[in-house]
Amino acid sequence: LKPLSLPGEDFYLISNLKGLNIISNGKRVTGNIGAHSAIKILEKWHDSTQAEFQFEKNKDSLIVRQWCWNIPAVQRWVFTINKNIILWDSELEVENFMSIEEIKTGLILNSCYDKITIGDNTILLPDLNSSWEQIEIPSNTKEVLIGIDNNTLGFPDIVFKSFLSGSIVIQNADKNINGRFVQASITEEKEYPAGKYNIFNAEIKIMPR
């Protein structure tokens, strides 16, 4: 399938078989997968690496539908761009009753990103290794700046801001995925009868260096 793209200032979104990537001045800001989500049901995660995708482009938006064959729901992501800001809304379309333990939605960033700033505090991220690693940050975090400590390659800084309930989580993926997870997490276990639910609303600012 021909990739679909949506341009912004000094960057663009482009579809791939497993999601959506951000490219800025020829640099792939996102990791192997890019836009990513995961749903936890009965202690088992169902995420974008297991999903099928369908893409549609309107005049000013890119629409992504994502589904896993073994759960009765479809996610509908809508991306719009205002200059250097990506607006991302996610809706969960539930076909049959589901009980969900946790939902995470966000970006897998290129592994070269190695520091985060929350308020006045800057944290250098540890190197990736063979296992997943949760980065400790304040539990009510809604906005984070992600950058590179010694940025000689021209990658932009990224501001990730979540508007819905839950908190931002930062994780190092293992070397198979090889990236930094920046996601909004809803950890409240909740029952979802058939219907449509707004599960994610975020602003991603691309700040060229």
Side-chain angles (χ1 to χ4, degrees), residues 141-172:
T141 299
K142 295 290 187 181
E143 182 173 344
V144 60
L145 169 68
I146 309 103
I148 299 173
D149 188 41
N150 185 22
N151 193 354
T152 60
L153 300 176
F155 280 83
D157 289 341
I158 309 293
V159 177
F160 184 94
K161 184 175 183 180
S162 174
F163 294 106
L164 291 185
S165 62
S167 178
I168 290 175
V169 295
I170 310 291
Q171 290 177 296
N172 278 349

Side-chain angles (χ1 to χ4, degrees), residues 100-171:
I100 296 176
E101 295 155 23
E102 187 174 353
I103 302 173
K104 295 192 291 188
T105 310
L107 297 174
I108 303 177
L109 294 176
N110 192 305
S111 59
C112 67
Y113 284 90
D114 62 1
K115 72 174 181 178
I116 58 174
T117 301
I118 300 169
D120 296 328
N121 297 319
T122 296
I123 301 169
L124 292 178
L125 301 177
D127 293 338
L128 300 180
N129 54 49
S130 59
S131 60
W132 289 72
E133 183 176 5
Q134 182 93 11
I135 309 300
E136 289 192 18
I137 63 173
S139 60
N140 60 347
T141 299
K142 295 290 187 181
E143 182 173 344
V144 60
L145 169 68
I146 309 103
I148 299 173
D149 188 41
N150 185 22
N151 193 354
T152 60
L153 300 176
F155 280 83
D157 289 341
I158 309 293
V159 177
F160 184 94
K161 184 175 183 180
S162 174
F163 294 106
L164 291 185
S165 62
S167 178
I168 290 175
V169 295
I170 310 291
Q171 290 177 296

Side-chain angles (χ1 to χ4, degrees), residues 63-83:
I63 300 169
V64 183
R65 290 176 64 83
Q66 173 193 276
W67 65 94
C68 294
W69 65 269
N70 52 351
I71 64 173
V74 175
Q75 289 187 55
R76 183 177 183 268
W77 299 345
V78 179
F79 295 88
T80 56
I81 293 177
N82 182 9
K83 297 182 179 178

Side-chain angles (χ1 to χ4, degrees), residues 9 11 22 24 84-86 156-159 204-208:
E9 285 188 354
F11 75 94
I22 301 172
S24 176
N84 70 325
I85 295 174
I86 302 167
D157 289 341
I158 309 293
V159 177
I204 300 163
K205 186 181 293 185
I206 311 297
M207 303 170 63

